[in-house]
């Protein structure tokens, strides 16, 4: 279970970075290479939907299992607030705040999620973590 949780933390951080890169690199690419607008690529709303579809279950699972292992409510709270900010920014951010502020809100949510997952990952790597104890006792040699 520890490996699944650590892998989930790594994937969630990677997805948050993908979201941040998308938010800031896409406008720069469209300005620098305007011919990209001619290609039928997935629109922004679809990208946000699929990112949320990937981020929500992975983040919820790993943050909740990390909380169950470590009893650290702060990782769970920070990650949950980050998820709420990300969902709000993805669904209503553009309409309510405008394009630029929506990007910053989304980046803030992704940063909170990344921080929570990195904290969770580091807690799990700590030697005092209960999931690191060896379930098979070593046999003492005589």
């Amino acid at each position: 279970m520890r490996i699944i949780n650590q892998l989930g933390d790594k994937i969630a951080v990677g997805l948050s970075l993908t979201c941040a890169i998308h938010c800031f690199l896409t406008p720069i690419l469209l300005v620098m290479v305007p011919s990209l607008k001619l290609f039928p690529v997935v629109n922004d709303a679809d990208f946000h939907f699929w990112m949320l579809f990937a981020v929500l279950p992975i983040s919820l699972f790993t943050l909740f299992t990390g909380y169950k292992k470590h009893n650290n409510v702060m990782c769970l709270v920070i990650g949950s607030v980050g998820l709420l900010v990300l969902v709000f920014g993805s669904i209503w951010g553009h309409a309510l705040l405008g394009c630029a502020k929506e990007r910053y809100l989304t980046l803030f949510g992704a940063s909170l999620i990344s921080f929570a997952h990195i904290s969770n990952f580091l807690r799990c790597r700590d030697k005092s973590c209960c999931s690191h104890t060896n379930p098979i006792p070593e046999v003492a040699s005589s």
Side-chain angles (χ1 to χ4, degrees):
M1 188 63 143
R2 176 180 66 91
I3 293 171
I4 292 172
N5 200 16
Q6 286 185 341
L7 182 63
D9 286 328
K10 289 178 184 179
I11 290 171
V13 170
L15 288 171
S16 294
L17 287 173
T18 302
C19 182
I21 289 168
H22 165 76
C23 284
F24 288 101
L25 191 60
T26 301
I28 293 169
L29 280 175
L30 290 175
V31 168
M32 294 180 74
V33 188
S35 61
L36 287 176
K37 292 181 182 178
L38 299 174
F39 292 103
V41 294
V42 176
N43 67 17
D44 216 28
D46 288 344
F47 181 82
H48 287 154
F49 171 77
W50 288 110
M51 285 300 291
L52 286 175
F53 185 75
V55 168
L56 284 175
I58 292 170
S59 289
L60 288 173
F61 174 76
T62 55
L63 289 172
F64 185 70
T65 55
Y67 169 72
K68 283 175 51 177
K69 279 190 222 175
H70 310 297
N71 291 325
N72 181 7
V73 74
M74 286 312 293
C75 284
L76 183 63
V77 169
I78 291 171
S80 298
V81 168
L83 287 171
L84 289 173
V85 168
L86 193 66
V87 168
F88 176 81
S90 296
I91 295 174
W92 298 292
H94 188 74
L96 296 176
L97 302 173
C99 191
K101 290 180 184 173
E102 179 245 340
R103 280 193 197 114
Y104 293 124
L105 185 67
T106 303
L107 181 63
F108 178 67
S111 298
L112 287 175
I113 295 167
S114 294
F115 177 77
H117 282 291
I118 290 169
S119 298
N120 194 34
F121 180 79
L122 292 176
R123 282 188 186 281
C124 204
R125 287 186 58 188
D126 186 19
K127 296 298 181 199
S128 64
C129 175
C130 61
S131 63
H132 279 43
T133 58
N134 192 355
I136 302 171
E138 294 182 22
V139 178
S141 58
S142 342

